[in-house]
Amino acid sequence: RDAETMGHVAEDLLRVHSELPAGHRQYLITAGVTGYIAAGQKDKARALWNRYPNDVRDSGNSSTNDLTLRLVRAHAFSAAHQ
């Protein structure tokens, strides 16, 4: 698979399909962030995560309930503190 393309395609779909259900948007964010992480581009992974804050939050809480989202967030932001 082309990891970087995963990130780009996810971002394109998120921009174009803003009326997708929350679960679909979270899936795209997960795919995009994962793609950028796999491509060694954590800066793009963090930017994607930060671009869609309402989609990665659980009904206004400060953290998400989705374990997969939490895992990719942890990987994306781990380099931010190194």
Side-chain angles (χ1 to χ4, degrees), residues 19-29 54-57 69:
E19 296 176 12
L20 286 172
H24 292 87
R25 294 181 64 75
Q26 287 182 353
Y27 179 86
L28 288 172
I29 291 166
N54 294 331
D55 293 312
V56 294
R57 304 227 187 277
L69 277 173

Side-chain angles (χ1 to χ4, degrees), residues 23-44:
H24 292 87
R25 294 181 64 75
Q26 287 182 353
Y27 179 86
L28 288 172
I29 291 166
T30 301
V33 170
T34 301
Y36 285 138
I37 291 170
Q41 299 178 346
K42 289 188 177 183
D43 56 330
K44 287 186 178 182

